[in-house]
Amino acid sequence: MNPLETYLSRLCDDLLGFEPDGAIEPLARVSGAREDHMGLAVCTADGEVTAAGSEHAFPIQSISKAVAYAAAIDRHGKDHVVSEVDEEPTGEEFNAISIDKRTSRPKNPLVNIGAIRVHAMLGTDRAERTALLRRTLDAAAGRELELHEETLREELAGADRNRALAYMLRAAGSMGDDAEEVVAGYLEGCAVLATVRDLAVVAGTFAHAGVNPVTGERVFTALAARQAMSIMMTCGMYDNAGDWVSDVGLPAKSGVGGGIIAALPTRFGVAAYSPQLDAHGNSVRGVRAFERMTEDFGWHVMEGPHVPDLAERAAELIGDVR
């Protein structure tokens, strides 16, 4: 193992040593999530991926929202997307009825109602929208990702609240598309499977100004990547975003499948996976992992421009300095 892999492996072991005060979402169990799953991965700007712990593939859930948002910006332009979905944090839960009373716009693209509106911008019908999202997810991960059909079936069977949010958009005059089709396509993006290694590459693509650092493919424009990371910084962890910015200080997006991605612009992307969730719908061990890594490596964006070399700092942390 190289020093960074050893550090990540030890951190996974440490985090598996405590029992999270949280539970696994029943939906995550459908794809095989277990209490002993814990994985971490880092993807640097030069395309080197280092991973440790669980290699279980899990549904990315709301992490897809950040990718869809960047894709919508590249399809329509930032001004148009912002005219339809605002950029403001809400302090509300992910499935809240979060519409501005004055403008009838969703308050941001990372709560469900905003993400549903964003998904509608990806095409003129379900097939076109889901094709663009799946294509973009694959490009950001650097490989073709699999849809978990059983998760999608469960999602569709329990999608009444998301359908209600879509119909609210239509009633408010904020969306003219078929509500059922938009929600079905949106949920398909949530049911795509990825490993923690895949998600580190997705995060690295955001950090690398929209270019996948492993494949070299431009997935997003630099503007779309910057805008997505800006919204991730303020809204990506839902009603725990304030604590996250204070304690971790990286643009991030979580999903109720147990995944978290985060990006340090120009440097690297990081991902964590552990399926037990806190009251905000964020991975308990994943949040702890990022708190530890930020403290150990000085990743907080407010720390200043100097971030130590990952391998050198990891060697110091594991006592392997030569």
Side-chain angles (χ1 to χ4, degrees):
M1 288 188 184
N2 64 44
L4 181 58
E5 186 178 358
T6 300
Y7 169 86
L8 295 177
S9 181
R10 290 182 183 180
L11 181 52
C12 285
D13 289 342
D14 286 349
L15 291 166
L16 285 171
F18 88 98
E19 190 66 30
D21 184 17
I24 298 176
E25 281 277 308
L27 189 61
R29 299 261 189 204
V30 172
S31 60
R34 299 199 316 254
E35 284 79 1
D36 62 347
H37 282 163
M38 178 72 223
L40 296 167
V42 177
C43 177
T44 61
D46 62 3
E48 182 176 352
V49 182
T50 304
S54 174
E55 298 180 356
H56 174 67
F58 56 95
I60 64 174
Q61 296 292 351
S62 290
I63 293 171
S64 66
K65 296 173 180 176
V67 174
Y69 184 58
I73 289 171
D74 281 338
R75 187 171 189 270
H76 294 283
K78 175 177 175 290
D79 291 346
H80 174 77
V81 174
V82 172
S83 74
E84 299 290 339
V85 180
D86 212 338
E87 306 169 288
E88 297 302 318
T90 67
E92 298 170 333
E93 296 180 352
F94 65 93
N95 60 357
I97 302 170
S98 186
I99 294 183
D100 187 277
K101 293 179 181 178
R102 182 177 58 86
T103 65
S104 296
R105 288 184 297 179
K107 292 181 182 177
N108 73 63
L110 300 184
V111 290
N112 286 13
I113 194 166
I116 289 167
R117 180 65 189 94
V118 167
H119 186 81
M121 297 185 210
L122 299 183
T124 58
D125 57 27
R126 178 180 175 181
E128 186 178 1
R129 288 187 287 262
T130 53
L132 175 57
L133 179 55
R134 294 288 302 280
R135 192 165 63 244
T136 308
L137 285 167
D138 291 349
R143 72 179 186 93
E144 187 174 341
L145 301 177
E146 178 187 353
L147 175 67
H148 194 246
E149 297 282 359
E150 189 175 355
T151 293
L152 179 58
R153 284 194 297 271
E154 292 290 325
E155 292 259 33
L156 289 169
D160 286 349
R161 187 175 181 88
N162 281 325
R163 292 187 182 100
L165 294 174
Y167 280 110
M168 286 188 67
L169 289 170
R170 283 178 56 85
S174 297
M175 185 177 79
D177 304 270
D178 182 278
E180 300 283 341
E181 285 200 353
V182 172
V183 169
Y186 158 72
L187 292 176
E188 182 171 327
C190 295
V192 168
L193 295 174
T195 66
V196 71
R197 180 184 291 269
D198 294 326
L199 290 185
V201 178
V202 173
T205 299
F206 281 116
H208 199 36
V211 175
N212 185 311
V214 175
T215 67
E217 178 183 358
R218 174 162 291 285
V219 182
F220 314 118
T221 62
L223 174 61
R226 186 193 75 184
Q227 179 68 6
M229 286 190 290
S230 297
I231 300 300
M232 288 161 64
M233 187 71 168
T234 57
C235 309
M237 302 298 281
Y238 301 121
D239 48 334
N240 197 44
D243 286 343
W244 176 271
V245 171
S246 176
D247 297 338
V248 178
L250 293 173
K253 186 71 200 79
S254 63
V256 295
I260 301 175
I261 64 169
L264 183 62
T266 76
R267 293 296 301 273
F268 42 75
V270 190
Y273 163 63
S274 183
Q276 293 95 328
L277 306 180
D278 61 22
H280 309 286
N282 301 322
S283 169
V284 179
R285 287 184 176 131
V287 170
R288 278 207 177 194
F290 274 103
E291 290 172 349
R292 282 274 300 276
M293 290 186 289
T294 291
E295 181 179 349
D296 286 346
F297 289 92
W299 286 349
H300 199 297
V301 295
M302 303 304 176
E303 290 277 358
H306 176 70
V307 176
D309 179 82
L310 289 174
E312 291 178 4
R313 178 59 179 151
E316 293 176 4
L317 291 164
I318 65 175
D320 189 28
V321 180
R322 298 183 178 134

